[in-house]
Amino acid sequence: MTDSQSVHDGAAPAGAWAAPGRVNLIGEHTDYNDGFVLPVALPQAARATVRLRTDGLLRLHSAQTDGGPVELSVADLAPGSVEGWAKYPAAVVWTLRAAGHEVGGADVHIDSDVPTGAGLSSSAAIECVVAAAYSDLHGLGLDGPALARLAQRAENEFVGVPCGIMDQMASVCCTEGNALFLDTRGLAQRQVPLDLAGAGLRLLVVDTRVKHDLADGAYAELRAGCERAAALLGLPALRDLAPAGLDAALDRLPVELRPLVRHVVTENARVEQAVALLDAGDLAALGPILTAGHASLRDDYRVSCPETDLAVEAAVAAGALGARMTGGGFGGSVIALVAADTLDTVAAAVTTAFAGAGYATPRTFTAVPAAGAHRIG
Ligand code: GLA
C-alpha cells in the first residue's frame, strides 16, 4: 500500500485519545520500593490522533517540534534505535510487540501541553496516550493497570530509564476531582476526593524551568541504593520496613544508605497520614506533611536543588500551608498548598525570590485534579 493510500483510506481504524501529566501530592521515590503514592492528574495532557497503517511504517509527528514526521519501520524498532521525543511512542509499539501483541504501524500525531523537563510526566503522558490508542484500535482490551505496566516497561526497556510505575498509573487511572491512592505493590488503588475549591484552597504548581543533568544517572543510583539496603536487611523491598523498626534497621546498614532508607520509610508513612486527612476532609492539615516531605527529599534523599528549595521556602514564607518538590527531583516543579485568597501573593513571592537569586522566571499555574487517559474522538 502506498503512503497516500494508507493515510487517506477512510476505512483504516482511527481515533483520538488524551493522557495527562501529573503532580504527586506525596510519596516520592517510594514507587520502586513497592510503597505508596498519591498523584493527581493535570488538565495538561498529551493528545494523539492515531490512524493504523498496514505497511509496517510508524510515522510520528509532534506539534511541538519543527520539521516533518519521524518515519520508522516497526520491524526494525530496537532499544537505543530512536532518539528524541519519538522514542516514547516508538517504545510503546516495540513493547506491545515484545509482549506478544500483533500490532503494526500507524500515523501518530501528538499535540501535548504538558511542560517538558518539568517533572510533570510529559513522557509518561505520551507513552500512555499511544498505549491507550493502540489498545482500542486493535481491540486488545488492556485495562488501566495493564496499560500502565506496558508504558512503564516501554520506559524501562526501550527508553532505558529504570522508573517506577507512579507516572504511568497516574496518567491512566486518575479520575477528575480525585487524588489516586496507589499501593505500587500489586497496584491496589483508591480514588480519594480532593475538593480543593470546596475547602477554599488551591494547589499552585511552580515549574522552576531547571533540569539538572545528573537526573537520570542519579535516579538509577538511588534506586540501586534502596535495593541494596533492602537486600542487606533481608526484606523484599523497603516498603516492608515498618516505622517502628526503622532505628534498629538503620544501625545495621552502612552509613551512606541510612538516609535513603529513612526517607522511604517516613515518606510511606506521610502518604498514609495524608490519605487519612483527605478522608477526614481536613485538607488544610496536608500542608505540614508536604513541607516535611520536602525536608526529607532535601536532607535525606538529596534530590532537591537550590531552585526547588528556594521555591518551597519562598512559598511557605509567603503564607502557603505547605510546599514540596514533586516528581523525581534535580529541578522540575514544586507544589504549594495555598488558601485561595493568597494564591497570587504566593506565586508573586516565589517569582520575586527567583529574580533576587538570579534564576530564570518560573512558570506558575494552578492544578485541578483531572481525568486519566480517555478517548476524545
Ligand atoms: C519519576 C519516576 C517515578 C517516580 C518519581 C519519584 O517521576 O518516573 O516512577 O519514581 O520519579 O517519585
Side-chain angles (χ1 to χ4, degrees):
M1 181 174 283
T2 67
D3 183 64
S4 64
Q5 273 174 326
S6 81
V7 172
H8 299 294
D9 180 356
W17 288 260
R22 61 99 191 92
V23 290
N24 184 22
L25 286 180
I26 192 80
E28 222 65 85
H29 291 276
T30 45
D31 59 356
Y32 51 81
N33 289 296
D34 281 2
F36 303 122
V37 292
L38 192 61
V40 173
L42 294 171
Q44 290 91 336
R47 295 175 182 83
T49 307
V50 181
R51 181 180 296 272
L52 295 185
R53 298 176 65 107
T54 52
D55 60 359
L57 286 183
L58 185 58
R59 294 184 92 231
L60 305 168
H61 183 264
S62 161
Q64 278 66 53
T65 57
D66 296 332
V70 175
E71 191 168 292
L72 303 164
S73 155
V74 168
D76 295 340
L77 291 177
S81 66
V82 187
E83 292 297 319
W85 70 272
K87 68 181 169 227
Y88 301 110
V92 170
V93 176
W94 176 84
T95 306
L96 280 163
R97 288 164 64 89
H101 299 293
E102 288 177 14
V103 302
D107 291 303
V108 180
H109 178 85
I110 293 173
D111 192 353
S112 176
D113 61 354
V114 185
T116 55
L120 300 173
S121 292
S122 59
S123 51
I126 292 179
E127 290 158 356
C128 291
V129 80
V130 174
Y134 260 70
S135 176
D136 281 0
L137 290 174
H138 284 282
L140 303 179
L142 300 174
D143 64 8
L147 288 173
R149 283 198 193 284
L150 187 102
Q152 183 201 19
R153 184 177 168 194
E155 182 89 24
N156 291 166
E157 296 182 19
F158 192 93
V159 179
V161 176
C163 66
I165 199 159
M166 168 173 71
D167 303 344
Q168 292 78 9
M169 280 296 289
S171 189
V172 174
C173 295
C174 279
T175 54
E176 203 176 321
N178 296 303
L180 177 71
F181 178 31
L182 174 70
D183 180 345
T184 62
R185 171 177 282 166
L187 303 188
Q189 48 171 306
R190 176 158 72 84
Q191 303 294 336
V192 183
L194 183 68
D195 183 8
L196 292 161
L201 299 173
R202 298 287 184 272
L203 194 62
L204 174 70
V205 181
V206 179
D207 169 10
T208 64
R209 303 178 104 135
V210 290
K211 183 175 196 277
H212 294 287
D213 286 346
L214 61 159
D216 285 353
Y219 185 92
E221 257 176 54
L222 288 162
R223 181 173 182 155
C226 288
E227 284 165 1
R228 194 154 67 88
L232 288 170
L233 294 170
L235 299 170
L238 289 183
R239 180 263 174 76
D240 299 298
L241 181 53
L246 177 60
D247 287 342
L250 294 183
D251 287 343
R252 293 168 53 204
L253 289 171
V255 180
E256 73 275 11
L257 294 180
R258 291 178 191 173
L260 299 189
V261 175
R262 191 163 48 226
H263 168 73
V264 172
V265 171
T266 59
E267 184 80 349
N268 269 327
R270 279 185 287 273
V271 178
E272 294 188 280
Q273 287 165 18
V275 170
L277 290 171
L278 291 184
D279 283 342
D282 192 358
L283 274 62
L286 212 60
I289 295 180
L290 302 187
T291 309
H294 186 78
S296 183
L297 290 164
R298 182 190 60 212
D299 303 335
D300 276 344
Y301 221 67
R302 302 201 183 164
V303 293
S304 77
C305 64
E307 294 87 350
T308 46
D309 289 345
L310 181 62
V312 167
E313 198 183 294
V316 171
L321 302 173
R324 61 178 288 271
M325 52 152 276
T326 193
F330 305 104
S333 296
V334 161
I335 53 170
L337 186 68
V338 301
D341 58 1
T342 64
L343 178 68
D344 294 341
T345 322
V346 173
V350 175
T351 303
T352 303
F354 269 49
Y359 299 154
T361 308
R363 178 172 21 207
T364 58
F365 64 92
T366 308
V368 179
H374 57 284
R375 190 166 185 154
I376 54 174

